Amino acid sequence: MDFEVRPVRDDEIEEFVYINAYAFDRDRGPAAIEEAAAREREWYKPESRLAVFVDGRMVARMHLLPFDMYLNGGAVRTGGIGGVGVLPEYRRRGLTAALLQRGLNDMRESGQVISALYPLHYELYRRYGWEIVSASVRYSFSPDDVHVARPAPGECRRVTADEWPALDAVYREYAANHNGSLARDEFWWREAVFGSGRDSRDVAVWELDGAMRGYVAYGTRSFSLPERFMPASTLWVRELVALNGDSYAGLVGYLLHHDLQERIEWTSSPEEPLLYILNDPSKVKTEIGWPQMALRLVDVPRALEARPCLPVADGARLTMAVRDVVAGWNEGTWRLEVTGGQLRAEPAASTADLTVEVGTLAALYAGRLSVREAARAGLLEARGEQALEQAGNIFAVGSSFRCLDWF
């Protein structure tokens, strides 16, 4: 089957959003498609849209979005992949692979040295070099059943989207110390964080002595219960960012003031300290969720150089062989050396101290998987204890990986 992969023209956007609506079981009526097309034109730049055409007909699509992602305090240029969809009559013909391959080429040319996505089919994306780097936990509890174990100085107030610059300053301070955070602009704050239309949300900030020290973004969803005349509602937490313990406790306490809500639901990371500040954690239903973001190194040497190293890595030296059957430019052996937190990666002809697949390398890069655990699971080959120690120092991280944004 012959096909073409290319950017989408403006007059093809209705087809582009239709495939997304079909793939993700959304309204495909004319009015819904027109609304989605208008939102597509507003939200995304033309160069972010890629599609596959067979005999002139669009049959598959993908978004390719530019981000900066914080890792060990540095901003790494990232290509976010989203909205991958293929019409059912054209599935299992290699069209997703063609989109991903074109995306890798485009990202490399644009200087996006890593790529991130939220996979629905983990096996598929692992096949092309993406690997899981984060996980989730869902917390669910009644605001009547628990309280914060200690009082917190400060006060809470709700804000509008016009205060996004102050929120962004808090977020940037948080993001510099939390791997996986994405840099945000005004549009992202207004549309993705505060929401718009049917998906609007509230945002409240915690202040002490006039200084903003944290915020929480949340929304409510109503539902009917047969035993109740009035609808019930759930408060769901989009994100909670706190710069210290007082603001964390204060914001959680603020959420608990919503005692007319039936439940509070919060999907976060396994590292969330919520259970440690509540008086009775047994009242909180905790469900281990699903793996979340997957990461890939698009350009191995440039990605390694873009990610700062911690002080423990200073002076580390290592030769590392990388296997990458999809992006052949990453294949080879690289000499790694760290000086003053900066890693240099150059081609090497010597025998490798460490041999790793590009997917496993992504998990090491994000700090989700340690070098020693990868070796224990047979996911890499190392020439002795010194190689493991040097690699462990190079890939050390200052925080767990967690991204607050979906795309």
Side-chain angles (χ1 to χ4, degrees):
M1 180 182 65
D2 293 330
F3 59 84
E4 178 188 15
V5 183
R6 63 168 173 82
V8 176
R9 300 192 307 264
D10 187 72
D11 63 340
E12 297 169 326
I13 289 180
E14 282 74 14
E15 296 176 77
F16 189 76
V17 299
Y18 178 89
I19 294 175
N20 189 68
Y22 194 104
F24 296 99
D25 197 24
R26 295 170 182 160
D27 189 348
R28 302 190 295 276
I33 293 299
E34 183 178 351
E35 181 182 349
R39 187 167 57 249
E40 174 71 31
R41 290 184 173 93
E42 179 185 8
W43 272 61
Y44 301 103
K45 296 179 179 179
E47 59 269 24
S48 73
R49 307 179 191 107
L50 282 176
V52 178
F53 296 81
V54 175
D55 296 329
R57 180 193 179 197
M58 189 187 303
V59 299
R61 51 148 284 163
M62 181 177 82
H63 272 133
L64 190 56
L65 309 170
F67 293 114
D68 282 344
M69 176 180 287
Y70 289 97
L71 290 160
N72 279 355
V76 180
R77 294 188 64 188
T78 304
I81 290 177
V84 180
V86 182
L87 292 176
E89 59 268 36
Y90 289 93
R91 291 176 186 166
R92 297 178 178 85
R93 301 191 186 187
L95 301 187
T96 298
L99 282 169
L100 294 176
Q101 185 67 68
R102 170 63 183 264
L104 286 170
N105 291 331
D106 287 0
M107 285 185 283
R108 187 181 183 221
E109 289 179 5
S110 299
Q112 295 159 3
V113 296
I114 62 175
S115 175
L117 55 81
Y118 287 101
L120 290 178
H121 304 289
Y122 294 99
E123 183 180 4
L124 169 66
Y125 290 100
R126 275 180 161 170
R127 201 181 307 153
Y128 296 103
W130 280 262
E131 187 52 88
I132 302 302
V133 294
S134 65
S136 67
V137 173
R138 178 174 294 164
Y139 303 96
S140 177
F141 50 96
S142 168
D144 288 329
D145 287 346
V146 293
H147 64 265
V148 176
R150 66 176 181 85
E155 58 184 10
C156 212
R157 68 178 177 91
R158 283 178 291 116
V159 298
T160 69
D162 289 338
E163 293 194 56
W164 75 267
L167 292 168
D168 190 59
V170 172
Y171 174 78
R172 281 188 283 110
E173 186 174 344
Y174 164 89
N177 297 295
H178 288 79
N179 288 342
S181 301
L182 303 180
R184 295 171 173 174
D185 58 14
E186 179 179 359
F187 184 83
W188 194 266
W189 275 105
R190 291 184 179 276
E191 296 295 331
V193 179
F194 280 86
S196 60
R198 295 188 301 269
D199 196 28
S200 60
R201 307 181 189 102
D202 289 297
V203 176
V205 300
W206 190 262
E207 293 179 324
L208 180 62
D209 298 329
M212 193 181 296
R213 306 304 295 160
Y215 69 86
V216 60
Y218 60 96
T220 57
R221 298 183 177 121
S222 298
F223 59 94
S224 297
L225 291 173
E227 67 273 16
R228 289 178 55 165
F229 174 71
M230 295 293 291
S233 66
T234 295
L235 184 150
W236 58 276
V237 181
R238 184 198 190 272
E239 65 184 67
L240 189 153
V241 166
L243 300 183
N244 56 33
D246 287 337
S247 57
Y248 188 85
L251 289 167
V252 172
Y254 170 78
L255 293 174
L256 296 177
H257 291 168
H258 293 76
D259 50 12
L260 293 182
Q261 266 68 46
E262 194 81 12
R263 306 287 292 174
I264 294 176
E265 293 186 356
W266 184 358
T267 298
S268 188
S269 72
E271 292 76 27
E272 189 66 59
L274 174 68
L275 298 180
Y276 296 92
I277 71 162
L278 297 178
N279 66 310
D280 190 352
S282 70
K283 300 294 186 181
V284 180
K285 182 179 180 182
T286 304
E287 300 175 273
I288 301 299
W290 54 95
Q292 288 194 325
M293 180 175 280
L295 206 68
R296 192 199 205 283
L297 274 66
V298 175
D299 188 324
V300 164
R302 302 293 82 80
L304 293 171
E305 292 180 341
R307 172 190 177 276
C309 291
L310 298 186
V312 70
D314 203 39
R317 295 181 180 180
L318 183 77
T319 53
M320 181 176 68
V322 178
R323 297 171 180 154
D324 190 343
V325 297
V326 175
W329 54 80
N330 290 326
E331 283 269 359
T333 302
W334 308 94
R335 180 182 297 105
L336 313 182
E337 185 171 349
V338 181
T339 304
Q342 175 65 53
L343 183 146
R344 295 295 301 167
E346 302 291 343
S350 56
T351 302
D353 301 315
L354 199 78
T355 302
V356 64
E357 298 283 347
V358 72
T360 300
L361 180 58
L364 300 177
Y365 185 88
R368 187 64 189 175
L369 185 65
S370 74
V371 171
R372 291 188 180 277
E373 288 301 297
R376 187 170 72 91
L379 297 173
L380 60 79
E381 301 170 12
R383 295 179 63 205
E385 177 64 24
Q386 185 177 4
L388 290 174
E389 181 178 354
Q390 294 286 293
N393 291 340
I394 288 173
F395 292 110
V397 294
S399 73
S400 58
F401 188 100
R402 176 190 178 192
C403 183
L404 297 177
D405 291 305
W406 291 83
F407 48 86

